[in-house]
Amino acid sequence: MKAPLGLVGTVLAVLLMLSACGEAGPPAASRPAASGADDGASELVARGKEIFAGKGICLTCHNGSARYPDVTTMAANAGTRVEGLDDVEYLVQSLYQPDAFITPGFSPGMPIATQPPMSLSPEEVTAVIAYLQSFGGSPTVTLERVLAAVPDDQS
């Protein structure tokens, strides 16, 4: 009878230790905000990251190579690229008309995000922009802002 009790005690000790580790979790700074605390921004950023890595095929080129801009600085610089455009307007233009402005030192050739092979919807474009903005701070993009910034020939 002692063997099963020893085994039960060991299993309970391991479970308690695992439970304590699970409660500790990652540091608060790396955890997404609590649901509702950021009006859905963390969910939008997570969706944008998923699209960026998947359907949007963005990582094919924006992967740290020297050929295309690095995503971690893209949004931070977006508001200064074209006079008269804020960061959201510039990022919308970059996705709907990628050859309208080529960042000096980089190559043209990005497909239009709303056409094949990506075929992103305005909602998906909004999520991708939120993901890009998350590298430089808090996302400010909304679907309404994206739709308002869509170039006339892309509406």
Side-chain angles (χ1 to χ4, degrees), residues 61-74:
C61 299
H62 295 282
N63 56 19
S65 71
R67 184 167 181 217
Y68 291 100
D70 179 14
V71 298
T72 61
T73 59
M74 203 178 297

Side-chain angles (χ1 to χ4, degrees), residues 56-147:
I57 61 171
C58 309
L59 282 176
T60 303
C61 299
H62 295 282
N63 56 19
S65 71
R67 184 167 181 217
Y68 291 100
D70 179 14
V71 298
T72 61
T73 59
M74 203 178 297
N77 297 324
T80 63
R81 294 286 183 205
V82 176
E83 190 172 331
L85 297 182
D86 67 17
D87 64 329
V88 171
E89 293 164 333
Y90 175 79
L91 292 168
V92 169
Q93 180 190 58
S94 296
L95 293 167
Y96 280 82
Q97 294 178 320
D99 289 337
F101 178 82
I102 305 299
T103 303
F106 293 99
S107 304
M110 183 175 131
I112 297 170
T114 57
Q115 296 178 5
M118 295 178 274
S119 302
L120 300 184
S121 70
E123 293 82 7
E124 290 169 323
V125 167
T126 303
V128 168
I129 291 173
Y131 171 62
L132 295 174
Q133 286 184 317
S134 75
F135 286 101
S138 298
T140 60
V141 67
T142 63
L143 177 60
E144 293 76 21
R145 293 233 21 239
V146 168
L147 293 174

Side-chain angles (χ1 to χ4, degrees), residues 11-21:
V11 168
L12 286 176
V14 169
L15 288 174
L16 284 173
M17 187 170 36
L18 289 174
S19 174
C21 290

